[in-house]
Amino acid sequence: MRKFYVLGLMTLIFTVNSWAAENRRPKIGLVLGGGGARGIAHVGIIKVLEENRIPVDCIAGTSIGSLVGASYAVGATPEEMRKQISDANWGNMFLAKAPRQAYPFRRKQDDKLSMLGVEVGLADGGQLKLPLAAISTQEIEYFLRNLTYGGTVANFDSLPIPYRAIATDLATGDMVIMKDGDLVTALRASMAVPGIFPSVPSKGHILADGGLVRNLPVDVVRNMCADVVIAIDVGAAPLSQGEITGIFSVMDQYTRLMMIQNVRPQVAGLKDKDVFIAPQFDALGSMDFDQSDKLIEVGRVAAMKALPSLRRYSVSEKEYAAWATNRISKKLKPKPIQKVTVADSGWVNAATLKDELKVPTGVNLNIDKFHDQLTQLYATGDFSQLDYELYDSGAGQDLLVLPVQKNWGPNYLNFGLSLGTDFESSYPWNLTAMYRRTWINSLGAEWKSILQMGNSSMFYTEFYQPTTAGGNGFVAPYFRYYRIPLALWQEGDEVAKYKYSKLSFGADVGVGSEIGEFRFGPAFNEYSASRNIGSSILPNSRTDDYGLRFNFFYDQLDNYFFPSTGAYLDLYGYYSIGASEDIDNYGLYGLTFRGAMTAGKGVFQFTLKGQTSTGDNGVLADVSWLGGFLNLSSYRYQELIGDQFAYGSVQYYRRMPFLSGSYWGAALETGRVFNYFDKKIADEWHVSGTGYLAYDSILGPMYLAAAYGDNKTWSCYFMLGKQF
């Protein structure tokens, strides 16, 4: 009899379990595929799932699908995701440039040279080295941290919704399923398109975009939890034969086909109970991140078309409310920082970095402040990335800072091109090369040299030695030589050409930061002028002196050539304390000020500059002039020469809507040279009105301009690069 009781009890248990299995809600796995900006459509689809009470039990994503999936998995709502994506400055993220105000003044100084935005490395053996990736993910990492609330967990199964990110092992080609560790590291790895974004080292792997092996990870989510799979494919369709017209379209097709080949078997493995959604994007492409609202709507429309299939998995309001409450209760939150470690990255001093960051322990990480600190360090130019990872330590989080030094450093080369014409008598041009050797010692010493060739020539070299690790003080010995053609004018006619040169060397001491710099020190100068052709207005001569110089700089312009906010100030002076017979008790003092302010849709820029001298300086001690573009534009280049002058201008410029980086502008200018050899000219203030079209190109600022002034003369200009 007892056997019959046991048998009956087992039968009852089996029957109850079978009934429960047949009647329980099926677990739903959400698969979010990769596809660049198209993946923003995932947000619209998730919104429809929520509106129709369709709970999600696990998520797997690739590339942008991993970003959206992680944000939903940690507890974000579709509206929160929409706002963060819409508010993001995608242009800045992909440029991976820190705000100009954050850069050290030494880096800002290079802007006036109008160097190309391409920096190459130079090995000690002389070989050129290039970056491993085109775009740094520095700014993108900040976005990802905010997208995931600045938190992490020991295992991604502990998130409100269990989650996986898919990456590719670049060494083996194997799929890597990211399921624990730092959450943002998993996201960066999943989206690291080879050659575009830097690969991500993690747990002995070198990881890249998961789309190489599994752009739609259906099998991954099925192995996680899924009885039912909702798979969303946002990949690009293959190009038609007529669309394959050149090398770039061939490369594009190659990438598309590679993705499609690993998507097809995943789609083929879907069952009748699964739901497959492939939004129709029409003209919207993988780089249209600024069209986020349209992309989200594309996703919503696609989900609405699939709604009959999706509604099979809708649950009651009570059951959905319980699921949603449980998800929100587990929403990812940051924890207090328990330990801070800065990894050793090579030639940059790790202890210096840790001292500069000064991250407090025992409290939550202030993400905004910490990101600002990282941005300032990134702006030094020593790093291609300043990554960090957060690890759950139970009661808190451990912070690991991972400085990634430029693989093409510490020797850097950069080049620049500048040219211009007034279409009549002046055709200045220059080629510029700049070499930097950073971190020569543990205090961060740097050697910088600049060579300029063209119708003017210049060589400058400086050894910049900080006095303490991470400090602002420095010592800087330097050497500078430049030679320029000098035109002399009388009554609107060029009457002579001279060669003018100046050689200087000295050593400065000072302090500097991202705001500006102050330096002073002894200097020796040698000046020379010799006539080439024309009247002997000035005698051929050579002279020299030595004395003390100072410079005070302040620079917080947000853009050197086309600022919308900020100011720039250069106060300088030199006093000769010993000289040849031609110079006695000579002093030279001057300033340059530029300030910009936004006014409606345009910008006003104000410029003031002037210079005065004391004592007997001959004429050669320091040559300056008015004339040329935006330097009293109606007058010819170098038309008004003298070392005592004043100049002021007001510019107004405004972006043009049809081409990013293009402007139209106008300027009103006035100026005077007080010691001009023609007294009639020296006694008067002169004015010019200028109008221009401009474009902030990769080669530097481009201008096409026309000016008219009190000299009753029209002048026209084309300029590329720095203004002469």
Side-chain angles (χ1 to χ4, degrees):
M1 180 66 70
R2 186 175 180 181
K3 292 182 179 179
F4 286 110
Y5 281 130
V6 173
L7 182 60
L9 182 60
M10 292 177 62
T11 302
L12 179 62
I13 293 172
F14 177 77
T15 302
V16 170
N17 287 341
S18 297
W19 179 86
E22 290 174 0
N23 290 276
R24 72 172 172 82
R25 177 180 69 80
K27 289 191 174 181
I28 297 172
L30 183 61
V31 179
L32 304 179
R38 295 186 193 89
I40 296 173
H42 293 316
V43 177
I45 295 171
I46 292 172
K47 189 173 190 299
V48 172
L49 296 181
E50 287 201 342
E51 290 170 348
N52 288 274
R53 303 189 306 278
I54 301 169
V56 173
D57 299 288
C58 56
I59 300 173
T62 297
S63 198
I64 185 126
S66 73
L67 273 63
V68 175
S71 186
Y72 193 54
V74 301
T77 66
E79 177 56 27
E80 286 176 324
M81 289 189 281
R82 184 206 65 77
K83 188 175 189 311
Q84 283 193 293
I85 292 169
S86 178
D87 291 347
N89 190 330
W90 294 96
N92 276 2
M93 277 199 277
F94 290 134
L95 284 174
K97 291 185 67 176
R100 185 176 182 274
Q101 295 94 326
Y103 281 77
F105 178 73
R106 286 181 57 74
R107 298 283 83 81
K108 293 176 185 176
Q109 277 183 308
D110 300 337
D111 290 347
K112 67 180 69 175
L113 298 172
S114 188
M115 308 298 286
L116 301 180
V118 179
E119 182 183 66
V120 298
L122 186 67
D124 291 335
Q127 305 92 339
L128 292 180
K129 299 192 294 183
L130 296 174
L132 295 176
I135 299 174
S136 165
T137 53
Q138 188 67 38
E139 292 291 322
I140 294 173
E141 178 164 353
Y142 302 159
F143 174 72
L144 298 180
R145 291 291 172 189
N146 288 320
L147 204 64
T148 54
Y149 302 121
T152 194
V153 288
N155 188 292
F156 298 167
D157 285 337
S158 301
L159 293 171
I161 301 176
Y163 164 79
R164 300 289 186 270
I166 308 304
T168 303
D169 188 318
L170 267 184
T172 65
D174 294 335
M175 178 173 68
V176 177
I177 302 172
M178 311 284 283
K179 60 182 180 179
D180 54 24
D182 178 60
L183 185 56
V184 168
T185 297
L187 303 188
R188 289 196 301 110
S190 186
M191 58 165 281
V193 180
I196 305 299
F197 298 123
S199 56
V200 177
S202 178
K203 299 179 182 178
H205 302 282
I206 300 297
L207 300 178
D209 193 299
L212 297 172
V213 290
R214 197 74 88 250
N215 205 44
L216 194 69
V218 172
D219 55 345
V220 174
V221 81
R222 206 181 293 282
N223 290 332
M224 288 176 68
C225 80
D227 300 312
V228 171
V229 173
I230 300 174
I232 305 166
D233 180 16
V234 294
L239 298 172
S240 66
Q241 186 171 348
E243 292 174 313
I244 304 174
T245 57
I247 183 171
F248 294 109
S249 59
V250 169
M251 293 169 62
D252 185 19
Q253 181 76 331
Y254 174 80
T255 303
R256 294 181 186 217
L257 291 176
M258 180 174 57
M259 301 287 185
I260 290 169
Q261 294 305 314
N262 70 64
V263 167
R264 283 175 178 166
Q266 298 298 307
V267 175
L270 293 172
K271 303 171 184 177
D272 291 340
K273 62 181 178 180
D274 299 326
V275 181
F276 177 67
I277 302 175
Q280 299 302 304
F281 294 96
D282 297 326
L284 291 169
S286 61
M287 292 304 296
D288 289 328
F289 289 92
D290 59 345
Q291 303 293 318
S292 59
D293 286 344
K294 291 181 180 179
L295 289 161
I296 290 171
E297 177 62 15
V298 165
R300 190 194 69 80
V301 169
M304 294 301 291
K305 288 181 179 179
L307 203 52
S309 297
L310 290 170
R311 276 183 173 155
R312 292 178 290 173
Y313 307 110
S314 296
V315 298
S316 68
E317 291 185 6
K318 181 179 179 180
E319 189 174 358
Y320 188 79
W323 173 86
T325 300
N326 180 64
R327 187 173 84 93
I328 296 303
S329 69
K330 295 181 179 179
K331 185 175 179 178
L332 189 62
K333 297 179 179 66
K335 297 179 180 179
I337 298 298
Q338 301 294 319
K339 183 174 70 172
V340 179
T341 305
V342 178
D344 188 3
S345 59
W347 60 81
V348 177
N349 191 324
T352 299
L353 294 182
K354 187 172 182 179
D355 287 343
E356 292 192 26
L357 291 171
K358 293 184 174 65
V359 178
T361 58
V363 296
N364 289 357
L365 182 66
N366 185 329
I367 283 189
D368 291 339
K369 180 180 179 181
F370 184 58
H371 288 175
D372 287 344
Q373 292 173 310
L374 289 179
T375 295
Q376 287 195 346
L377 288 171
Y378 177 73
T380 62
D382 294 321
F383 308 98
S384 61
Q385 299 274 131
L386 268 169
D387 300 327
Y388 70 95
E389 296 182 341
L390 295 169
Y391 292 96
D392 191 279
S393 60
Q397 295 179 151
D398 292 342
L399 170 64
L400 173 62
V401 180
L402 297 166
V404 182
Q405 292 176 181
K406 293 179 175 178
N407 68 285
W408 60 102
N411 299 285
Y412 304 103
L413 285 175
N414 206 341
F415 302 92
L417 167 66
S418 299
L419 55 88
T421 177
D422 62 3
F423 300 101
E424 288 194 19
S425 60
S426 179
Y427 303 89
W429 64 274
N430 287 122
L431 292 173
T432 306
M434 181 170 65
Y435 165 80
R436 288 192 303 125
R437 172 62 166 93
T438 61
W439 285 92
I440 295 173
N441 55 42
S442 61
L443 296 181
E446 176 182 285
W447 177 32
K448 180 167 75 173
S449 297
I450 302 170
L451 176 64
Q452 181 176 286
M453 298 179 293
N455 64 320
S456 61
S457 303
M458 187 265 288
F459 175 70
Y460 177 82
T461 188
E462 178 185 81
F463 187 86
Y464 182 89
Q465 176 64 67
T467 53
T468 59
N472 293 327
F474 66 86
V475 177
Y478 65 89
F479 173 87
R480 183 173 188 255
Y481 173 82
Y482 73 92
R483 185 178 66 186
I484 59 173
L486 200 60
L488 297 183
W489 297 72
Q490 280 187 326
E491 298 181 354
D493 295 320
E494 185 179 346
V495 295
K497 280 187 178 293
Y498 281 72
K499 285 183 180 178
Y500 174 80
S501 65
K502 179 180 177 180
L503 178 152
S504 303
F505 62 85
D508 291 335
V509 296
V511 292
S513 68
E514 73 280 359
I515 295 175
E517 182 183 88
F518 174 75
R519 58 166 65 200
F520 72 97
F524 172 85
N525 305 291
E526 182 180 88
Y527 317 92
S528 174
S530 59
R531 181 171 60 90
N532 276 355
I533 57 173
S535 304
S536 299
I537 298 177
L538 299 177
N540 292 344
S541 62
R542 180 183 300 271
T543 190
D544 57 70
D545 70 354
Y546 57 92
L548 294 173
R549 73 159 189 162
F550 76 87
N551 273 98
F552 172 79
F553 295 100
Y554 172 86
D555 186 352
Q556 285 290 278
L557 294 175
D558 63 344
N559 182 297
Y560 185 77
F561 289 103
F562 301 104
S564 58
T565 60
Y568 172 92
L569 176 65
D570 174 14
L571 289 172
Y572 60 90
Y574 173 75
Y575 183 74
S576 173
I577 57 177
S580 64
E581 295 180 359
D582 295 327
I583 300 179
D584 184 26
N585 298 323
Y586 168 63
L588 181 77
Y589 311 96
L591 70 84
T592 298
F593 169 82
R594 294 169 59 208
M597 58 178 290
T598 301
K601 295 183 178 180
V603 175
F604 281 105
Q605 183 179 175
F606 305 93
T607 301
L608 292 172
K609 60 182 179 179
Q611 185 173 280
T612 187
S613 61
T614 60
D616 179 14
N617 66 335
V619 150
L620 294 176
D622 222 308
V623 172
S624 298
W625 60 80
L626 297 178
F629 180 58
L630 291 181
N631 192 37
L632 209 58
S633 304
S634 67
Y635 286 80
R636 305 299 182 205
Y637 177 61
Q638 296 184 335
E639 187 167 347
L640 305 177
I641 288 181
D643 64 359
Q644 299 183 47
F645 71 91
Y647 170 86
S649 72
V650 178
Q651 287 186 64
Y652 177 82
Y653 45 88
R654 188 166 171 174
R655 289 184 180 272
M656 293 190 286
F658 52 83
L659 180 61
S660 177
S662 62
Y663 303 83
W664 65 264
L668 181 63
E669 308 171 78
T670 184
R672 179 178 174 184
V673 176
F674 294 92
N675 59 340
Y676 192 68
F677 55 83
D678 185 331
K679 191 174 187 303
K680 180 181 177 182
I681 296 294
D683 287 344
E684 296 180 355
W685 286 89
H686 308 283
V687 295
S688 291
T690 307
Y692 59 80
L693 300 175
Y695 177 54
D696 196 3
S697 77
I698 191 172
L699 298 176
M702 297 175 64
Y703 294 90
L704 184 62
Y708 186 79
D710 68 305
N711 57 345
K712 306 296 191 296
T713 300
W714 281 98
S715 295
C716 296
Y717 296 95
F718 171 77
M719 304 289 291
L720 171 64
K722 70 181 181 68
Q723 298 164 28
F724 290 89

